Amino acid sequence: MSLINKNYYALGTVINLSVAAPADEKDLDAGYELIQRFEDKLTVNRDKSEVMSINHNAGIKAVAVPEDTYGLIKRAVLVSRKHLGFNVAIGPLVKLWKIGFKGANRPSDSDIKERLKIIDPERIQLDDEKQTVFLLDKGMEIDLGGIAKGYIADQIKQLWLERGVKTGIIDLGGNVLLVGPSQHADEL
């Protein structure tokens, strides 16, 4: 049995979605629509998104966000506070390098040291009751780039399972998640 495959462009990369029949292109397109919805909510590469609303209000006020966005940010903040290598507050450093954009370069040591002062995940205030996020210091920015694709892939998998997709491959620019058993006779 072969896979039905479509390529899309989103999240700054090539997206490759595949499903096995009886699933079809409608399931692939539903997955892509979900990607677009989350990209609109989580991106820091556009001026407007739920995450950018938080960033624009750094040092000013807390910002309420929908439950799904709040849950992802909370998870990212809690992981960041363990200091294991992931830091959701890395936004100011990412922007300094201009990674993925015209003018990308290695900034000066003094610029790096200056930005290091505002990437402390302990300075992110979460309010579970109001579902608000407050970046306590001016210039702080959250960036979910290190966790968003995995989260979105998990959401596509859940969507597909709800739609009855038995087997599929979600490839978000090299972040790959498999759904169900393999189509090969030995299931490998």
Side-chain angles (χ1 to χ4, degrees):
M1 191 179 291
S2 64
L3 293 174
I4 303 161
N5 177 277
K6 277 183 93 172
N7 292 315
Y8 307 89
Y9 188 84
L11 308 172
T13 191
V14 174
I15 304 296
N16 189 328
L17 301 178
S18 305
V19 292
D24 58 25
E25 282 193 33
K26 290 178 185 172
D27 296 304
L28 298 173
D29 291 339
Y32 178 60
E33 288 169 15
L34 188 101
I35 291 168
Q36 290 177 305
R37 186 171 64 87
F38 278 110
E39 184 172 31
D40 288 344
K41 293 164 71 66
L42 306 176
T43 189
V44 295
N45 296 326
R46 297 184 209 144
D47 198 44
K48 291 185 179 182
S49 74
E50 291 168 12
V51 171
M52 286 307 294
S53 291
I54 295 166
N55 291 345
H56 289 316
N57 285 286
I60 300 168
K61 67 178 183 176
V63 175
V65 291
E67 184 178 355
D68 56 352
T69 301
Y70 181 80
L72 179 60
I73 291 170
K74 181 177 179 178
R75 184 180 313 168
V77 169
L78 296 177
V79 170
S80 296
R81 289 178 179 168
K82 293 180 180 183
H83 303 287
L84 299 172
F86 173 77
N87 184 349
V88 70
I90 198 77
L93 277 177
V94 172
K95 285 200 172 168
L96 185 63
W97 256 270
K98 298 178 185 165
I99 296 169
F101 294 94
K102 190 174 184 174
N105 65 70
R106 185 192 183 288
S108 70
D109 288 345
S110 62
D111 285 343
I112 293 169
K113 286 178 185 170
E114 197 61 35
R115 300 290 167 88
L116 287 173
K117 295 175 185 175
I118 56 171
I119 66 163
D120 183 358
E122 300 295 335
R123 302 287 299 155
I124 301 172
Q125 189 175 73
L126 302 169
D127 184 326
D128 290 347
E129 189 176 310
K130 296 178 183 174
Q131 291 188 328
T132 60
V133 181
F134 184 24
L135 307 178
L136 296 173
D137 303 313
K138 202 97 169 116
M140 287 184 77
E141 293 189 27
I142 56 176
D143 184 329
L144 296 167
I147 196 173
K149 286 180 186 169
Y151 174 80
I152 293 168
D154 288 342
Q155 299 304 306
I156 295 169
K157 178 179 180 178
Q158 185 62 41
L159 172 72
W160 282 359
L161 292 174
E162 290 169 6
R163 292 175 65 97
V165 173
K166 302 286 187 234
T167 299
I169 302 170
I170 302 162
D171 178 354
L172 306 181
N175 293 274
V176 178
L177 181 62
L178 304 177
V179 178
S182 169
Q183 293 297 294
H184 297 282
D186 60 6
E187 294 189 346
L188 296 177

